[in-house]
Amino acid sequence: MGLQPLEFSDCYLDSPWFRERIRAHEAELERTNKFIKELIKDGKNLIAATKSLSAAQRKFAHSLRDFKFEFIGDAETDDERCIDASLREFSNFLKNLEEQREIMALSVTETLIKPLEKFRKEQLGAVKEEKKKFDKETEKNYSLIDKHLNLSAKKKDSHLQEADIQVEQNRQHFYELSLEYVCKLQEIQERKKFEFVEPMLSFFQGMFTFYHQGHELAKDFNHYKMELQINIQNTRNRFEGTRSEVEELMNKIRQNPKEHKRASQFTAEGYLYVQEKRPAPFGSSWVKHYCMYRKAAKKFNMIPFEHRSGGKLGDGEVFFVKECTRRHTDSIDRRFCFDVEAADRPGVALTLQAFSEEERKLWLEALGGKEALFHSFNRAVVPRPEGSAQLDKMGFTILKKCISAVEARGINDQGLYRVVGVSSKVQRLLSMLMDAKTCNELDLENSVDWEVKTITSALKQYLRSLPEPLMTYELHGDFIVPAKSGSPESRVNAIHFLVHKLPEKNKEMLDILVKHLTNVSNHSKQNLMTVANLGVVFGPTLMRPQEETVAAIMDLKFQNIVVEILIENHEKIFRTPPDSTFPEPICLSASPPNAPPRQSKRQGQRTKRPVAVYNLCLELEDGDSPTSPKEEALTSAVDSLCSTSPTTTSVPGPSTPEKNHLLADGGSCADWASPVSSQTRSPMVQWLNPQSPTTPSANPAAVPPPSPLSPPFTPSHVTTLVDKPPESIINRKARAVYPCEAEHSSELSFEIGAIFEDVQTSREPGWLEGTLNGKRGLIPQNYVKLL
């Protein structure tokens, strides 16, 4: 049972039970006061802990932001760039989360701590003061009554009457105070129900708002997460291919290291011990040097280097060799020694010691010593032995037979071209295909004797067995260059140009193969072989460097990108002539090369997602299936056979090379052209990046507008020639500084000088909304200047 009500009529009786009820009310208020005091203390501790957590989270975010991945080689793939930028994205996510946490911490103070302190001090404190007065008046009233009742009856009537009046007045004052105290006790008991609970409600509302904001941030982050998972899967697939190649090269070198020495600009190089003579009491010492010799110039370089002292380099020494003489063991108490006389130091000879007799003979040969042997110190690049496979009529027959069988029997087989056949069966089939007699008798389309994986493996083995890769050694480096830099459109144009430089037979066979691979990728929902997966499989098959090195293997990922571009743009590359202006810069005066990247569209609707939080790549368009390609990508990524890449899906709107390749290699959406000096870059690089970063064109229309993406995706070398609009634009006018042709029904087409009315910020990053000639639509933000 709860507290009993305090009746005002009981104040006059002031019975013992009435006093018990008052004490019960007072005890309850004291318990409430202690509870609120403890709750305020816990709330302050909660705020302190929240601030500590926020500080730790921010420090963690700063650590993520400051770290940068280093890569092997001279360039990264778009997937690797996205992965590199991911730590900054994670940092931004935590930063935004902590901003919401700070708001929550402030709301705890304002909505919980301060109201409770106010209630405790003003309401409960007032009751305490009333209790003190009530107790004081109670003592005074009953003391006066005791004193009055002790008066003698023999006192004068006037004195007794005066005493009676005084007692009555005091009793009346006590009754009034008792009424007020009882009223206050009951009032505070009722008031605490809302004065205490209402701040708690506000506190929980603030806490749930924080969690809701976290949920919204997670929804925003989910888009980026899905893109990044695809980037990671693509990079993992490339890593697996690269690792197998590296291990294969390592095993080759382990078995025969001499045959795999790298070609060098030096005739001879390696470690030698050099005798350093000291004054007589100290004798001489031998110091290890790394020595390099150029026979043509007779120039000898020596650099002291000691591995055991932490690998510290010493000061180098250079001289020109006059002659070299072998030292016999009867003239020096060390083996493998020889003397070198310097032409610019008459009469001075250095005594050098090799690691072995074989190395000494090689040095003597290089230096023109008397016991020179006639073989080279450095191995020249040995061309691959010519195999039996040839790029002839029989080769085309093999290719067409295999492709026809695959498309008839196994176009939907999961892991097509990735699942390999049994080696012995593959070799037997390839031998039969390369024999004119047995080849004509083979019916691969209807034969059950040959599995599809055996046929695909035989096709790949034939291509690898060619004496020269299908895309040739000569053009290998040129094909790699555009994959490392440039915008998506410039990459396609560069590859387009280079394909038409291939020998006619090579181009014809490549056309047949790529057309087939395009068909395979069109069935990726069934066979799981996306464009990215086919690039991983056929990159090393169609392209390979003439010399096997780790640096060349690191370029495997770019070979894959070249193959992806070929598959995605087969019709343009093989059915249309390339740009005749190559390798001159593409004319940029007509329109800027890169329109702002578009956000996702689902059945014509734009994703309403706060874009100020993340710099995201494009989302995939929905296909016929109600399940989005991204979800399929995440599902199939678990399968070891493949990873799903967004490369097979184009941006909605009219098909253009730029759009169709905008997601090439794992969903990149920025122009990754490197700021290379125009004095040092090759014609290929100049064509990909025609505008030097240090010398902007005098003609504004000839300079590409800045990318609308925020850092880290915005290329640092792009010159900004138009005003950067503020974050929020409402009812402004703008003038077009570049022409634009709409690629979607929601966009506006316009010429230079067009005036837009009622311009305002769009939900899509890099785009504005405006009205032109009565039509309202989207405008690229970096194509206009606000008035």
Side-chain angles (χ1 to χ4, degrees), residues 36-104:
I36 293 176
K37 185 177 180 180
E38 191 67 25
L39 191 65
I40 291 172
K41 179 182 177 183
D42 292 340
K44 290 180 178 179
N45 290 338
L46 174 63
I47 294 174
T50 301
K51 289 181 178 179
S52 298
L53 173 61
S54 182
Q57 293 267 45
R58 287 181 180 277
K59 187 176 184 303
F60 184 70
H62 285 310
S63 300
L64 287 176
R65 184 194 63 192
D66 295 340
F67 182 78
K68 180 175 174 59
F69 290 105
E70 291 296 335
F71 58 92
I72 300 175
D74 56 358
E76 296 175 286
T77 64
D78 294 342
D79 287 317
E80 289 171 333
R81 290 187 182 96
C82 289
I83 290 173
D84 188 22
S86 65
L87 296 185
R88 290 186 290 276
E89 293 297 332
F90 298 153
S91 175
N92 290 338
F93 177 78
L94 283 177
K95 180 182 176 183
N96 288 324
L97 189 65
E98 292 317 305
E99 287 175 358
Q100 299 299 330
R101 197 189 302 276
E102 280 190 3
I103 294 173
M104 183 191 72

Side-chain angles (χ1 to χ4, degrees), residues 383-422:
R384 292 174 179 265
E386 184 172 331
S388 56
Q390 296 295 326
L391 195 60
D392 53 11
K393 185 178 179 180
M394 180 58 68
F396 279 90
T397 302
I398 294 171
L399 185 74
K400 291 175 182 177
K401 266 186 174 291
C402 292
I403 288 175
S404 178
V406 170
E407 295 193 346
R409 296 173 51 195
I411 195 70
N412 292 323
D413 288 4
Q414 287 194 5
L416 186 65
Y417 284 108
R418 198 154 192 174
V419 178
V420 297
V422 179

Side-chain angles (χ1 to χ4, degrees), residues 725-756:
E727 292 183 3
S728 181
I729 303 169
I730 302 176
N731 297 331
R732 297 284 298 276
K733 288 186 177 182
R735 183 177 70 251
V737 294
Y738 298 101
C740 180
E741 183 177 355
E743 296 183 349
H744 192 269
S745 59
S746 61
E747 301 171 9
L748 295 177
S749 297
F750 50 86
E751 299 296 330
I752 295 177
I755 302 298
F756 301 91

Side-chain angles (χ1 to χ4, degrees), residues 177-190:
L177 186 66
S178 178
L179 288 171
E180 290 177 1
Y181 182 55
V182 166
C183 180
K184 190 69 175 176
L185 281 175
Q186 298 191 112
E187 175 189 325
I188 200 67
Q189 291 291 1
E190 294 300 313

Side-chain angles (χ1 to χ4, degrees), residues 477-533:
D478 291 336
F479 274 113
I480 292 295
V481 169
K484 291 183 176 180
S485 60
S487 66
E489 184 179 9
S490 65
R491 292 179 185 180
V492 175
N493 291 335
I495 301 299
H496 188 185
F497 176 84
L498 291 169
V499 165
H500 286 261
K501 287 184 68 176
L502 289 170
E504 195 59 36
K505 285 186 177 181
N506 295 59
K507 187 176 75 172
E508 183 183 351
M509 182 170 285
L510 187 63
D511 181 9
I512 296 170
L513 178 63
V514 173
K515 181 181 179 181
H516 165 62
L517 296 181
T518 304
N519 188 25
V520 171
S521 68
N522 290 337
H523 293 77
S524 61
K525 287 186 178 180
Q526 292 78 32
N527 59 36
L528 305 181
M529 291 305 292
T530 61
V531 175
N533 290 334

Side-chain angles (χ1 to χ4, degrees), residues 279-509:
F282 302 100
S284 61
S285 64
W286 294 81
V287 180
K288 185 169 63 176
H289 288 64
Y290 192 80
C291 302
M292 299 158 285
Y293 177 67
R294 285 192 180 92
K295 191 170 185 177
K298 292 191 173 183
K299 189 175 181 180
F300 198 96
N301 295 56
M302 299 192 310
I303 301 174
F305 185 82
E306 179 52 61
H307 294 82
R308 291 172 296 183
S309 61
K312 184 178 179 181
L313 278 170
D315 297 329
E317 186 177 354
V318 180
F319 60 87
F320 293 92
V321 176
K322 180 179 179 182
E323 64 178 27
C324 172
T325 308
R326 177 180 180 275
R327 286 290 294 268
H328 293 279
T329 53
D330 55 358
S331 64
I332 189 169
D333 192 23
R334 293 179 78 103
R335 300 187 300 162
F336 319 133
C337 294
F338 59 96
D339 290 339
V340 175
E341 185 176 346
D344 48 347
R345 301 176 188 176
V348 177
L350 290 175
T351 301
L352 309 175
Q353 183 182 24
F355 285 4
S356 65
E357 182 61 32
E358 182 181 359
E359 288 192 18
R360 178 169 68 171
K361 289 179 181 179
L362 293 174
W363 278 104
L364 288 172
E365 175 194 356
L367 293 165
K370 296 178 181 179
E371 296 185 9
L373 299 177
F374 296 100
H375 57 80
S376 174
F377 186 88
N378 283 300
R379 183 183 66 86
V381 176
V382 178
R384 292 174 179 265
E386 184 172 331
S388 56
Q390 296 295 326
L391 195 60
D392 53 11
K393 185 178 179 180
M394 180 58 68
F396 279 90
T397 302
I398 294 171
L399 185 74
K400 291 175 182 177
K401 266 186 174 291
C402 292
I403 288 175
S404 178
V406 170
E407 295 193 346
R409 296 173 51 195
I411 195 70
N412 292 323
D413 288 4
Q414 287 194 5
L416 186 65
Y417 284 108
R418 198 154 192 174
V419 178
V420 297
V422 179
S423 179
S424 58
K425 292 183 180 181
V426 172
Q427 291 297 335
R428 186 157 60 92
L429 174 59
L430 188 57
S431 300
M432 295 177 68
L433 286 170
M434 296 178 71
D435 188 319
K437 294 180 181 179
T438 54
C439 180
N440 294 329
E441 297 173 358
L442 275 174
D443 184 9
L444 297 179
E445 291 187 34
N446 302 309
S447 174
V448 295
D449 296 335
W450 303 103
E451 296 178 286
V452 172
K453 64 181 181 180
T454 305
I455 299 172
T456 56
S457 297
L459 173 59
K460 291 187 293 181
Q461 185 60 40
Y462 161 73
L463 293 171
R464 293 194 192 105
S465 301
L466 291 172
E468 186 178 32
L470 200 57
M471 298 176 73
T472 72
Y473 290 131
E474 181 183 358
L475 294 177
H476 177 84
D478 291 336
F479 274 113
I480 292 295
V481 169
K484 291 183 176 180
S485 60
S487 66
E489 184 179 9
S490 65
R491 292 179 185 180
V492 175
N493 291 335
I495 301 299
H496 188 185
F497 176 84
L498 291 169
V499 165
H500 286 261
K501 287 184 68 176
L502 289 170
E504 195 59 36
K505 285 186 177 181
N506 295 59
K507 187 176 75 172
E508 183 183 351
M509 182 170 285

